[in-house]
């Protein structure tokens, strides 16, 4: 581990030297690449420098203890020694986590698809609430949400909703939301007061970069244009601006109607289709690496039930990490960071355990 850290420190210093050269500033592509590398390495380098300093402090304290006879000074040196040793242990764990292989998609924007499952209108209502939960969470992270498509029902629910979240590190956090979400509550339409269980599915997909080669053959696609439906602005239902794409090889159908322009809707539909095709490719790769997949939290089977929202008891339980929180109202209002942090910690612990086997 320390050989690797020394190599990374040397690489960091080389990058800093190169960034100071005038010729690099004139090459924007090279400059951006170096700045990205420098940004990625900074947390590791800073932690490693602190680690080396703490180890030096331990050596200095031990040396001074050997020659020091004053009791008060010896007590102070022992406290400093104990503090440095504790910090070294913390930094060792921190460095191991920082050196874990990084998901190449972590810094990307995401496309999220929410679908109502079992439960009819109640599932559609819950899908709309989970959509609003993610919008509030995105706002708390200073991310931008862009609606791609919404299949709404008259009572305020959504059978399906697709949206994009643009923001630094969106995938690194949102990826833990993929899976089946279950709600237990008494529906407003239920006169008998019985608790119903409904489900929705959430799929979180990284946005596909232009440099990723997702080939879509024209003969494999059918493009239909139509008038948009549902609630909307002035141009809804008056122009053929909505676009539906059908991908024959996979059977995937995507639809976009949120923009007034057919060209914009077409671009959004293709972005969604590319994300779905890339997601299928990623899932197949994960299936081929089954052992790695089992050591991860949040990138598993999309049919896995990951969370239950129990309204009568005001609790939310994440089944992957056995976490139960009694603050359902806050969570439904977008306060999901505690759950995501717990998933990240569990994911890191599983990967560290795998490395130590």
């Amino acid at each position: 581990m320390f050989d690797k850290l020394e190599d990374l420190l040397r690489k960091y210093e080389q990058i800093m030297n190169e960034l100071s050269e005038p010729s690099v500033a004139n090459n924007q592509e090279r400059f951006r690449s170096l700045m990205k590398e420098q940004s990625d390495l900074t947390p590791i380098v800073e932690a490693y420098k602190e680690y080396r300093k703490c180890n030096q402090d331990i050596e200095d304290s031990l040396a001074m203890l050997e020659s020091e006879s004053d009791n008060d000074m010896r007590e102070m040196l022992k406290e400093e020694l104990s503090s440095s040793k504790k910090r070294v242990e913390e930094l060792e764990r921190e460095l191991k986590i920082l050196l874990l292989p990084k998901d190449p998609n972590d810094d990307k924007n995401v496309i999220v698809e929410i679908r109502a499952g079992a439960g009819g209108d109640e599932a559609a209502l819950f899908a709309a609430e989970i959509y609003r939960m993610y919008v509030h969470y995105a706002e708390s992270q200073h991310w931008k949400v862009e609606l791609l498509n919404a299949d709404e029902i008259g009572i305020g629910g959504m059978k399906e909703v697709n949206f994009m979240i643009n923001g630094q590190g969106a995938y690194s956090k949102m990826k833990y939301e993929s899976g089946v979400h279950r709600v237990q509550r008494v529906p407003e339409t239920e006169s008998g007061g019985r608790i119903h269980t409904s489900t929705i599915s959430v799929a979180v997909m990284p946005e596909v970069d232009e440099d990723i080669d997702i080939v879509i053959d024209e003969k494999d696609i059918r493009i239909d244009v139509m008038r948009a439906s549902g609630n909307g602005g002035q141009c809804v239902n008056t122009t053929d601006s909505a676009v539906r794409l059908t991908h024959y090889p996979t059977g995937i159908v995507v639809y976009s109607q949120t923009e007034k322009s057919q060209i914009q809707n077409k671009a959004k539909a293709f972005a969604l289709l590319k994300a779905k095709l890339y997601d299928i490719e990623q899932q197949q790769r994960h299936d081929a690496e089954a052992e790695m997949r089992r050591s991860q939290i949040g990138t598993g089977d999309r049919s896995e039930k990951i969370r239950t929202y129990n309204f009568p008891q005001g609790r939310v339980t994440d089944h992957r990490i056995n976490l139960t929180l009694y603050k359902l109202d806050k969570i439904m209002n977008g306060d999901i960071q505690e759950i995501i942090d717990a998933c990240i910690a569990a994911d890191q612990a599983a990967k560290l355990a795998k490395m130590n086997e």
Side-chain angles (χ1 to χ4, degrees):
M1 182 176 92
F2 297 106
D3 288 343
K4 186 171 184 180
L5 286 165
E6 284 293 335
D7 288 343
L8 290 174
L9 179 58
R10 281 192 291 272
K11 186 178 181 182
Y12 179 83
E13 289 168 349
Q14 288 169 0
I15 289 169
M16 295 303 290
N17 288 334
E18 195 171 343
L19 280 168
S20 65
E21 294 175 8
S23 59
V24 173
N26 296 327
N27 184 340
Q28 284 300 304
E29 190 174 333
R30 178 63 179 157
F31 181 76
R32 279 195 296 270
S33 174
L34 287 171
M35 286 298 292
K36 174 72 169 60
E37 280 191 89
Q38 185 245 7
S39 175
D40 290 342
L41 287 173
T42 296
I44 302 174
V45 168
E46 288 181 350
Y48 183 47
K49 283 181 177 178
E50 187 184 352
Y51 175 84
R52 293 204 307 186
K53 182 183 180 301
C54 284
N55 271 320
Q56 186 61 52
D57 290 344
I58 289 170
E59 287 182 26
D60 293 344
S61 295
L62 287 170
M64 290 172 72
L65 268 171
E66 284 184 13
S67 58
E68 184 59 60
S69 58
D70 183 83
N71 287 333
D72 289 341
M73 278 297 294
R74 285 183 66 83
E75 283 303 312
M76 188 179 75
L77 287 167
K78 284 178 182 177
E79 285 179 15
E80 288 179 0
L81 183 63
S82 175
S83 176
S84 294
K85 284 182 176 179
K86 184 180 177 183
R87 184 59 184 145
V88 161
E89 288 177 7
E90 291 171 353
L91 285 165
E92 279 185 1
R93 176 172 173 79
E94 190 179 319
L95 285 165
K96 284 178 183 176
I97 290 170
L98 287 167
L99 287 171
L100 286 173
K102 190 178 178 183
D103 187 331
N105 294 317
D106 273 354
D107 291 332
K108 293 183 180 177
N109 301 327
V110 297
I111 292 176
V112 185
E113 177 184 81
I114 302 173
R115 287 177 177 267
D121 288 351
E122 172 65 8
L125 287 167
F126 186 56
E129 290 174 69
I130 292 297
Y131 165 64
R132 287 189 289 272
M133 178 183 83
Y134 290 143
V135 170
H136 289 312
Y137 176 65
E139 288 169 353
S140 75
Q141 300 295 305
H142 307 291
W143 296 336
K144 181 185 172 187
V145 177
E146 190 178 346
L147 185 64
L148 300 176
N149 177 52
D151 183 2
E152 300 176 321
I153 62 173
I155 58 173
M158 294 173 167
K159 289 182 181 178
E160 180 181 344
V161 56
N162 300 282
F163 58 100
M164 180 179 283
I165 296 178
N166 296 281
Q168 181 66 33
Y171 186 75
S172 69
K173 297 177 180 179
M174 286 298 297
K175 65 183 176 184
Y176 298 101
E177 293 302 299
S178 282
V180 174
H181 296 237
R182 182 175 69 171
V183 60
Q184 295 173 325
R185 64 183 174 189
V186 179
E188 291 180 15
T189 53
E190 175 61 48
S191 58
R194 293 177 299 140
I195 294 175
H196 283 226
T197 298
S198 304
T199 62
I200 65 163
S201 65
V202 176
V204 178
M205 300 162 281
E207 183 185 21
V208 181
D209 292 336
E210 290 181 7
D211 59 347
I212 293 177
D213 191 21
I214 299 292
V215 179
I216 301 176
D217 198 315
E218 285 186 17
K219 70 175 185 296
D220 291 336
I221 291 279
R222 189 179 79 212
I223 303 174
D224 297 308
V225 294
M226 61 205 73
R227 293 192 176 182
S229 59
N231 300 322
Q234 280 181 300
C235 292
V236 171
N237 300 318
T238 61
T239 59
D240 292 335
S241 60
V243 174
R244 182 176 65 209
L245 301 181
T246 304
H247 187 246
Y248 295 125
T250 59
I252 293 172
V253 178
V254 296
Y255 185 75
S256 179
Q257 64 168 15
T258 56
E259 301 294 336
K260 294 178 181 179
S261 158
Q262 185 186 123
I263 294 172
Q264 290 173 312
N265 280 324
K266 187 176 178 181
K268 281 188 173 184
F270 267 100
L272 179 55
L273 177 60
K274 278 188 173 184
K276 282 176 173 277
L277 294 174
Y278 181 61
D279 188 53
I280 289 171
E281 187 181 293
Q282 293 283 95
Q283 290 289 312
Q284 289 171 343
R285 190 175 297 134
H286 285 162
D287 288 341
E289 300 165 359
E291 191 61 38
M292 183 198 79
R293 179 127 174 228
R294 277 196 291 273
S295 73
Q296 294 179 334
I297 304 287
T299 52
D301 191 345
R302 288 280 158 78
S303 63
E304 176 191 8
K305 181 187 70 180
I306 66 164
R307 199 173 297 153
T308 295
Y309 304 73
N310 186 296
F311 276 70
Q313 296 179 20
R315 64 174 166 82
V316 175
T317 299
D318 195 293
H319 305 288
R320 298 164 296 179
I321 53 176
N322 296 320
L323 174 70
T324 296
L325 300 173
Y326 287 88
K327 55 174 191 177
L328 185 140
D329 289 346
K330 288 184 177 179
I331 288 168
M332 294 307 295
N333 201 37
D335 185 8
I336 59 172
Q337 190 61 53
E338 186 175 352
I339 299 174
I340 289 172
D341 286 343
C343 286
I344 291 171
D347 194 10
Q348 290 171 344
K351 288 173 181 172
L352 285 172
K354 184 72 185 163
M355 284 176 65
N356 293 331
E357 283 180 2

